[in-house]
Amino acid sequence: PFNPNTKISWQTPVSGWQTLKVYDVLGNEIVTLVDEYKAAGDYEINFNASNLSSGIYFYQLRSGNYLETKKMTLLK
């Protein structure tokens, strides 16, 4: 759980175009945090959800053929 800021971190072993998006439980896209070419390495981005209501959200990282989705809970 977080309120209202959290850090999302990830590692990528290869360079490539990366997209990190946040969705609500209905699958609506809330925000795109990253949409750019990144070199291999470790990354971290701050997500400020102060304008969102409490609930479950999902963030999805897409890099080439790799796709991962994780859940996060916003408590206010």
Side-chain angles (χ1 to χ4, degrees):
F2 69 100
N3 178 20
N5 294 305
T6 190
K7 290 182 182 178
I8 300 173
S9 57
W10 71 97
Q11 300 174 10
T12 180
V14 295
S15 300
W17 196 268
Q18 297 184 17
T19 306
L20 179 62
K21 296 183 178 187
V22 177
Y23 297 90
D24 64 14
V25 293
L26 299 176
N28 299 314
E29 183 179 325
I30 302 299
V31 66
T32 298
L33 299 173
V34 176
D35 189 18
E36 62 189 63
Y37 184 90
K38 290 198 172 283
D42 297 336
Y43 295 96
E44 183 176 88
I45 192 163
N46 290 318
F47 173 52
N48 184 335
S50 59
N51 60 334
L52 299 175
S53 58
S54 296
I56 304 293
Y57 293 88
F58 298 91
Y59 63 93
Q60 184 178 74
L61 175 65
R62 184 181 304 263
S63 179
N65 292 331
Y66 178 78
L67 178 67
E68 183 174 10
T69 304
K70 293 199 173 184
K71 180 174 74 169
M72 54 188 172
T73 304
L74 172 62
L75 295 176
K76 288 190 172 181

